[in-house]
Amino acid sequence: MSEEHNELAEPSTADSFENPGLGHHRPRLGDEDPRAAKRSERQVVALFTVSILATIGGIVGYFAFPVAEADAGNVRMSTLVLGLGLGLGMLGIGAAAVHWAKSLMNDHEKVEERHEQRGDDATRERAVEMLQEGVADSGIARRPVLKGALGTALALAPLSFVVPLVGNLGADWNVSKFRHTAWAGTPDGGPRYLATDPTDRRIKASDITRGSMVHVMPYRLPEEEHYLEEKAKAVVIVIRVDPSILKEPEERRGWSYDGIVAYSKVCTHVGCPVALYEQQTHHVLCPCHQSTFDITDQAKVVFGPAKRPLPQLPIAVDDEGYLYAQQDFDEPVGPSYWERER
Ligand code: FES
């Protein structure tokens, strides 16, 4: 080793700097003490074990906290355990590999002269030999426990990706949660009136002037469990235009009242609230990514990344002139997913 170092320490032919050579080689503890090597091996196995347990824990957590059960706590816990399982699983393998390489693999320091990118056949054969030497140097053939730990960790780690993917094939992806909103009606079977937010005051058709846009909520939405989620799903914009410019297909006749139309305020791109109404063009704009919807034509997308029109809320007026929802939206509100029907 020392001869090799002296040779390497000779000045380089380049005049800009001298070859610094390699420093004095210091053997590692494990190179001289078999007990230290054994200890390092145990540490590497322990790190692989961390990876194995984390992967198993992530998968168990995935089944223990099913996100399909419409529970925000479950979604948070599922995300947490899957993330931890995945992170610790990968970290354990990485840390074990590094520790193994630094403490157990052969510590021969070698220097190779630079050569052309493509080696000749002899060099290539030598490369294969070196790879085989590397495998031999890793000592994997002599350390069956290490080999088993490595194999198990590598075999289990991809499950963190595969199990959620396979488990969710054909799953609902929470679309059912967006299929129904508070506009479906009140608990006693009565209609759900349109109300101002946050004052919760019912709105009359005469309150909506032509050219204006009003943000409304279901009247008297009970402040019980999932109140905020229900409120977020049910938020609606109401706009009044000249009735003669509305393009209403046969199946939507009667969904508007005297030029007043109501649409979900949740953008069908990724769910931002559409907020800007342009009176002249009758377009509403989502400020997040500029998706633009034509209110006179079933809120179809005229610009931007959204792929679906805003869902329309069928409305009507009672004897006193108050606006109410005839029924729930006829499709899930919110962003589009490839699982959706439209
Ligand atoms: S969320 Fe509305 S355009 Fe992206």
Side-chain angles (χ1 to χ4, degrees):
M1 182 62 71
S2 59
E3 271 179 25
E4 187 179 8
H5 286 172
N6 289 340
E7 186 185 316
L8 291 166
E10 283 175 10
S12 160
T13 49
D15 14 306
S16 53
F17 65 90
E18 288 191 353
N19 181 354
L22 289 175
H24 175 65
H25 179 76
R26 278 188 296 182
R28 300 162 307 184
L29 220 52
D31 294 336
E32 297 174 330
D33 180 358
R35 281 177 307 171
K38 198 69 194 165
R39 192 164 54 241
S40 294
E41 182 180 343
R42 282 198 298 272
Q43 290 165 346
V44 173
V45 171
L47 287 167
F48 279 130
T49 306
V50 167
S51 167
I52 294 167
L53 293 178
T55 302
I56 293 172
I59 292 167
V60 170
Y62 168 75
F63 288 108
F65 303 104
V67 292
E69 289 190 2
D71 184 332
N74 267 12
V75 173
R76 273 195 293 274
M77 285 306 295
S78 176
T79 307
L80 181 68
V81 293
L82 268 179
L84 281 175
L86 210 57
L88 287 175
M90 294 294 112
L91 187 68
I93 290 177
V98 169
H99 191 34
W100 183 357
K102 289 180 84 72
S103 62
L104 291 174
M105 291 188 185
N106 272 348
D107 193 26
H108 298 157
E109 292 174 347
K110 295 177 183 171
V111 174
E112 280 188 14
E113 296 296 325
R114 282 190 175 231
H115 49 72
E116 285 185 22
Q117 289 279 329
R118 188 197 183 286
D120 53 29
D121 290 344
T123 307
R124 291 177 155 221
E125 278 166 26
R126 176 66 190 133
V128 173
E129 276 172 30
M130 286 167 68
L131 281 174
Q132 286 163 344
E133 279 173 26
V135 172
D137 282 352
S138 71
I140 197 160
R142 286 180 284 114
R143 302 179 197 276
V145 181
L146 203 54
K147 189 174 172 181
L150 169 69
T152 311
L154 288 178
L156 287 184
L159 293 181
S160 298
F161 299 97
V162 173
V163 169
L165 277 179
V166 173
N168 284 327
L169 277 183
D172 180 63
W173 290 85
N174 295 333
V175 172
S176 61
K177 286 189 218 165
F178 295 92
R179 194 171 295 282
H180 303 291
T181 72
W183 293 111
T186 59
D188 60 8
R192 188 69 88 178
Y193 284 95
L194 278 61
T196 53
D197 183 40
T199 50
D200 204 23
R201 187 177 54 81
R202 285 192 298 168
I203 298 174
K204 285 188 169 179
S206 54
D207 295 335
I208 315 287
T209 55
R210 196 175 283 184
S212 64
M213 179 173 88
V214 182
H215 156 113
V216 305
M217 297 298 302
Y219 180 56
R220 289 193 175 159
L221 190 61
E223 294 199 24
E224 50 197 28
E225 200 185 4
H226 303 309
Y227 167 71
L228 287 178
E229 287 96 327
E230 288 304 321
K231 189 174 175 182
K233 285 192 303 181
V235 62
V236 155
I237 49 172
V238 173
I239 296 172
R240 185 169 210 154
V241 297
D242 178 350
S244 66
I245 64 171
L246 283 180
K247 297 175 192 157
E248 293 179 309
E250 195 57 47
E251 67 274 13
R252 292 197 182 190
R253 286 271 150 78
W255 282 21
S256 63
Y257 174 78
D258 196 23
I260 301 175
V261 285
Y263 288 97
S264 169
K265 189 172 177 168
V266 186
C267 181
T268 52
H269 178 218
V270 291
C272 284
V274 293
L276 307 170
Y277 177 50
E278 216 290 302
Q279 273 188 25
Q280 305 302 318
T281 57
H282 310 292
H283 291 168
V284 289
L285 177 86
C286 176
C288 286
H289 313 100
Q290 283 70 56
S291 284
T292 308
F293 306 87
D294 184 354
I295 286 305
T296 65
D297 190 10
Q298 304 166 70
K300 286 180 182 166
V301 182
V302 292
F303 181 78
K307 292 285 179 283
R308 299 164 42 241
L310 298 171
Q312 184 171 3
L313 183 70
I315 52 169
V317 166
D318 72 2
D319 295 343
E320 297 175 81
Y322 288 107
L323 289 164
Y324 67 91
Q326 299 178 40
Q327 60 179 62
D328 203 353
F329 295 102
D330 71 333
E331 61 175 308
V333 297
S336 300
Y337 300 94
W338 48 270
E339 294 83 3
R340 297 180 76 134
E341 290 152 18
R342 56 174 172 146

